[in-house]
Amino acid sequence: TIRWVFVILSIALGLSLVIAINLVNKSAINEFNHSSKVLRGEASFSVIGKSGEFDESLFNEFVGKKKEFGVFEVSPVAELSLLLPNSEKINILGLDTFRSIKTTPSFVGSLFKTSDTDGVNRGTKQRRFDVISEKSIFVSNSIIKNLKTKPGENLDFFYSGKKLSFVIVGILPIVSDKNLAVVDIAAFQNVFGKVGSLSRIDFKVADNYNVQRSRFLVDKHLKRKKYDRFLQTTDLDDLEKKNDNLSRAYFVNLSILAFVALFTGMFMIFSVLSSTVKQFRGQFALLRSIG
């Protein structure tokens, strides 16, 4: 009886380890992803259009349900991929600066501390309007290096057969290895003819709220409103893959430990059954001889 108790306990221990390792690993990855996004200034998750752009009226609907979703801030985003004069690809984002500071601060530009093209230093209050000016653009370090541009110079694009020019007024200090530029979302919509449409909506989850729960509530809202036919939630897959790789070694080691516990339990079952059969071998032989 005691041996069978130990067998059952060993099997239960192995199964418990397998289940616990999976739960802990998933929880750790989710928390690490959230912490990484906070440090990198990235959104917790986003809502994007399955076939491209969608009506910006949905943004106001999500803003009104921030508390219900456990969301700290919601930010609209418009995006286009164009070519630079040197034929390199560049992504241009249209952002609401006052909202993106709370959702995606990594995309918030910093004004150059230099004079304008006329060589006259303007006041701080006047330079602040550069953030929302229709001709202002913030660029990444890679664009500055590749095109060898300077503050106050124009950055030209060709879009729908038209030449468009923006004035470089600042830099994206966090983004350095990507060809990325940011303009005010109202200016983006007017210049590129995208009035009333968005590419995605970024969500920043409150610190005291679970990211997966917030995303589940948003998905539930999309299904209830039948928005899931053209909208879906998403996050940065590349970052999650990196975080998953970091924990994979620990996950594999602990999984091996759990399987060792299971094999130990199976070996104990085999040993107990073998010893039990040996104990009753004489009785089995007697029963066989008497038919």
Side-chain angles (χ1 to χ4, degrees):
T1 303
I2 297 177
R3 285 179 296 182
W4 281 106
V5 170
F6 279 110
V7 169
I8 295 173
L9 288 177
S10 63
I11 295 175
L13 176 62
L15 292 174
S16 300
L17 281 173
V18 172
I19 296 173
I21 288 169
N22 279 278
L23 292 176
V24 171
N25 186 64
K26 290 181 179 179
S27 177
I29 290 177
N30 290 335
E31 290 298 325
F32 190 67
N33 286 335
H34 178 62
S35 300
S36 299
K37 290 176 181 179
V38 171
L39 292 175
R40 291 165 59 94
E42 296 169 343
S44 302
F45 62 91
S46 302
V47 168
I48 63 173
K50 292 183 178 180
S51 58
E53 300 169 348
F54 55 91
D55 197 309
E56 69 175 357
S57 61
L58 297 175
F59 167 71
N60 296 324
E61 183 176 340
F62 285 117
V63 171
K65 293 182 175 292
K66 286 195 302 182
K67 293 184 179 179
E68 179 182 337
F69 296 149
V71 174
F72 174 63
E73 188 57 89
V74 183
S75 177
V77 181
E79 184 175 5
L80 271 179
S81 293
L82 300 176
L83 292 178
L84 290 168
N86 62 354
S87 299
E88 289 190 14
K89 185 179 178 181
I90 179 176
N91 289 334
I92 303 180
L93 301 180
L95 300 177
D96 183 339
T97 304
F98 303 104
R99 291 185 179 275
S100 60
I101 288 177
K102 299 178 181 179
T103 56
T104 52
S106 60
F107 296 147
V108 176
S110 176
L111 291 170
F112 284 118
K113 296 180 180 180
T114 58
S115 61
D116 58 10
T117 54
D118 297 328
V120 180
N121 287 318
R122 295 175 293 171
T124 304
K125 292 183 178 180
Q126 187 176 357
R127 294 187 72 246
R128 286 176 181 173
F129 287 103
D130 287 340
V131 177
I132 58 176
S133 173
E134 186 169 314
K135 292 297 182 180
S136 299
I137 190 169
F138 294 86
V139 298
S140 62
N141 285 311
S142 63
I143 295 178
I144 296 292
K145 294 179 180 178
N146 294 337
L147 298 182
K148 298 180 180 180
T149 57
K150 298 179 181 179
E153 291 186 348
N154 290 340
L155 188 61
D156 300 328
F157 306 98
F158 285 94
Y159 177 73
S160 297
K162 298 180 181 179
K163 182 180 180 181
L164 304 175
S165 297
F166 292 89
V167 180
I168 301 175
V169 298
I171 196 169
L172 303 174
I174 299 180
V175 181
S176 59
D177 58 345
K178 297 180 181 179
N179 286 340
L180 184 70
V182 173
V183 299
D184 180 68
I185 188 169
F188 182 99
Q189 292 175 329
N190 290 330
V191 172
F192 295 107
K194 301 288 185 180
V195 177
S197 63
L198 297 175
S199 300
R200 74 171 190 263
I201 300 175
D202 290 336
F203 292 78
K204 175 66 74 173
V205 176
D207 293 337
N208 60 344
Y209 220 82
N210 184 272
V211 176
Q212 295 300 322
R213 176 172 174 77
S214 293
R215 185 172 176 178
F216 170 78
L217 293 175
V218 173
D219 282 329
K220 186 177 179 180
H221 177 76
L222 295 179
K223 292 180 180 178
R224 184 171 66 250
K225 291 286 188 175
K226 296 183 179 181
Y227 295 154
D228 58 326
R229 293 177 295 180
F230 58 92
L231 293 177
Q232 64 181 5
T233 59
T234 185
D235 49 20
L236 299 179
D237 295 333
D238 292 340
L239 179 61
E240 291 200 350
K241 288 179 181 178
K242 291 179 182 178
N243 293 342
D244 183 62
N245 290 335
L246 289 175
S247 63
R248 183 174 298 173
Y250 299 100
F251 177 71
V252 170
N253 291 335
L254 293 175
S255 298
I256 292 175
L257 177 62
F259 283 116
V260 168
L262 284 176
F263 283 123
T264 302
M266 294 173 62
F267 178 75
M268 292 181 66
I269 291 176
F270 177 78
S271 299
V272 170
L273 289 176
S274 297
S275 61
T276 303
V277 170
K278 289 180 180 180
Q279 290 179 357
F280 293 98
R281 181 176 296 175
Q283 299 179 13
F284 291 155
L286 177 62
L287 292 173
R288 182 179 179 182
S289 61
I290 63 177

